[in-house]
Amino acid sequence: TGKEKWSFDCGAEISGGACYANGTLLFGAHDDTLHCLDTQTGKEKWNFKTEGPYYGSVAVVAGKTFAAGCDSRLHVIDVATGKESGSLDLGSQTGATVAVSGDNLYLGTMGSEFHAIAWKEPKIVWTYRSPNRPKEFFSSAALGADLAVVGSRDNRVHAIDRKTGSA
């Protein structure tokens, strides 16, 4: 019908897209919070506070969501409970959405680094920096069978080997 079913006011700007997972809607906002709403009622099931806003969207794999933002950390959070099961210092803020394939996720930072991360541990597998003139990675990566392809503020698109981290 096009009629509004419900709305939720988090009181802050929402700059990333929402992610649907098993009857919930996940999104980060500039109130330094990752929100999880019930899609039927619009009621908040849980929220996860950080020390900085989210710009990108979250991703969901195997019942986990991966949130990264201006607190320079990757948070691995259980979608059902909202409890953090792991955290990793990225060394710099990020405004991108993580790309996930299997046990690894890929994410660029404002510190001019692009990481492959083993999300179950979590730990950094490799880090790529542009050899020419390193600039921030604001965009989200596209993943192929062998490559992670990501744009940078160096005005280039980088094709990076997913196994080795080399261009």
Side-chain angles (χ1 to χ4, degrees):
T1 65
K3 292 171 87 176
E4 182 178 286
K5 186 173 179 178
W6 53 260
S7 67
F8 178 83
D9 183 0
C10 67
E13 179 182 341
I14 301 167
S15 58
C19 181
Y20 176 83
N22 299 325
T24 63
L25 193 66
L26 300 153
F27 65 93
H30 289 224
D31 62 348
D32 305 346
T33 306
L34 175 66
H35 298 275
C36 178
L37 308 181
D38 180 282
T39 57
Q40 295 301 309
T41 65
K43 302 284 186 219
E44 190 168 55
K45 292 182 73 169
W46 54 260
N47 65 58
F48 183 84
K49 293 292 271 180
T50 64
E51 294 181 18
Y54 291 93
Y55 283 91
S57 302
V58 297
V60 174
V61 173
K64 303 290 184 190
T65 187
F66 312 98
C70 289
D71 67 349
S72 301
R73 299 197 70 76
L74 170 73
H75 302 276
V76 181
I77 302 164
D78 185 275
V79 173
T81 66
K83 302 294 182 204
E84 184 175 53
S85 62
S87 177
L88 178 67
D89 184 358
L90 297 171
S92 183
Q93 300 175 343
T94 183
T97 301
V98 300
V100 185
S101 179
D103 293 340
N104 286 340
L105 62 83
Y106 303 85
L107 180 64
T109 72
M110 294 178 197
S112 308
E113 296 179 331
F114 184 80
H115 301 293
I117 298 168
W119 64 264
K120 290 180 180 178
E121 300 182 37
K123 72 173 187 175
I124 295 175
V125 176
W126 52 253
T127 299
Y128 169 83
R129 287 181 66 84
S130 173
N132 299 321
R133 50 180 246 238
K135 294 285 185 179
E136 299 87 358
F137 287 97
F138 277 121
S139 68
S140 303
L143 301 179
D146 299 319
L147 298 174
V149 180
V150 63
S152 169
R153 293 195 97 179
D154 67 357
N155 301 324
R156 291 178 168 80
V157 175
H158 300 262
I160 305 162
D161 184 287
R162 287 181 42 193
K163 289 181 184 170
T164 66
S166 59

